[in-house]
Structures are given as structure tokens and as C-alpha cells.
Amino acid sequence: MIRPAVPADAPALREIERAAGEPFREIGLDVVADDEPPPAALLAAYATAGRAFVAEHDGRPAGYLLTELVDGCAHLEQVSVLPRMRGSRIGEALVEHLAGWARDRRLSALTLTTYRDVPWNGPYWLRLGFRELIELGPGLRAVRDAEIARGLDVWPRLAMRRDLGS
């Protein structure tokens, strides 16, 4: 079940983020594993703004998605799923929920940034219908610049887009 997040979800979302970062350590991306989850106040602000969604499994949060409006698109700011739930299609369900949210707002596409070669990143997003962007709008360029400043470019990263049909 996908539902809008509420501010009280923030502690659970932070724990999901920490757990979701750990598999990156196994492939040498400690910078991702060590990256602190968004502060509870920021997660609460996303929830209050209606831009955070939670996937529940057995009545508990198992994944979440945050979105921003970037260059006129719904940008996946963050999507994280508990590692023990990998393969259960929770991430895909969150993305499809966001696609519906974006269509309701007459947005033309979903965008994201990700690691090109991490199996549960670049190849995963290709399977979900995203394509690599070569030219970035000013908003996505700013997102990428912020990622570089945070030290996340230790492996190749890319921006991707999935156009939404009407």
C-alpha cells in the first residue's frame, strides 16, 4: 500500500534510508552508506507539502519516495526501500504512484539522478522506462552540482528521464 507520508513517519524513514545505504558499502561506495539521512524536520516538510510517499508492508513503512519539481518535471529526490524487501517491487510501486501524481498535475516526465553502474541504480531505472539525459536543464544541473559538492561523484552518475503519456 502506498500512502502520503505524515510528519510522524520521519523517524521510520530515516531508518529506511540508513538501511538502504548499507548495500553500497559492499561495492565500495562508503560515501553513500555513510551519508546521513535527511533530517526529520526536512522529511516532515516534504510530508506536509504532499511530496513524500510511504510504501507499507505488514502495516509498517518499508520504503519511501520524496519528490521535487525540477525543470517542470516530478524529480525523484530520494527513493529508498529496506534491503530485506528487495525484489518485492516496492520501489517500482512508489515510482508508479509518483507517475500518477505527476500526471494529475499535468507534468510531462519523471527525472532522477543515479549511479550508472550500480545494479540497483542505473540498470534498474532503465528497466522502469527511464533513459539517460545528455543535456540537463538548469534545475537538474543544480541537482548534479549539489551532488558533486557532497562528494557523491566517486562513481559515474547520470541524470535520467521517463516521459509520461497523457
Side-chain angles (χ1 to χ4, degrees):
M1 176 182 98
I2 308 292
R3 64 169 173 79
V6 296
D9 288 322
L13 303 187
R14 287 177 51 85
E15 289 307 312
I16 291 169
E17 184 65 23
R18 281 191 183 99
E22 282 305 308
F24 286 89
R25 197 176 305 284
E26 298 167 12
I27 60 170
L29 278 171
D30 291 5
V31 66
V32 176
D34 294 338
D35 194 35
E36 269 300 299
L42 180 60
L43 293 168
Y46 272 98
T48 300
R51 292 184 288 112
F53 306 98
V54 172
E56 289 187 340
H57 178 76
D58 292 335
R60 300 182 54 121
Y64 77 99
L65 183 147
L66 305 176
T67 190
E68 293 277 356
L69 294 179
V70 176
D71 296 331
C73 300
H75 181 73
L76 282 80
E77 176 62 28
Q78 183 65 45
V79 59
S80 295
V81 175
L82 290 170
R84 66 181 164 76
M85 300 302 298
R86 189 177 286 164
S88 63
R89 302 177 71 125
I90 288 175
E92 182 178 355
L94 284 162
V95 171
E96 293 310 317
H97 183 84
L98 180 63
W101 181 91
R103 282 186 196 100
D104 289 348
R105 285 153 183 79
R106 298 186 179 174
L107 302 175
S108 61
L110 306 179
T111 61
L112 58 86
T113 60
T114 193
Y115 288 102
R116 176 187 313 276
D117 302 321
V118 172
W120 59 89
N121 278 194
Y124 174 77
W125 297 114
L126 285 171
R127 285 192 303 277
L128 292 186
F130 286 79
R131 63 179 166 79
E132 182 174 355
L133 287 174
I134 304 303
E135 294 187 31
L136 306 184
L140 273 177
R141 171 56 35 215
V143 168
R144 287 292 296 120
D145 290 345
E147 291 173 347
I148 292 166
R150 285 177 50 205
L152 296 178
D153 267 32
V154 293
W155 276 31
R157 287 186 67 78
L158 70 153
M160 301 182 85
R161 175 184 173 109
R162 181 176 129 186
D163 293 318
L164 299 174
S166 18

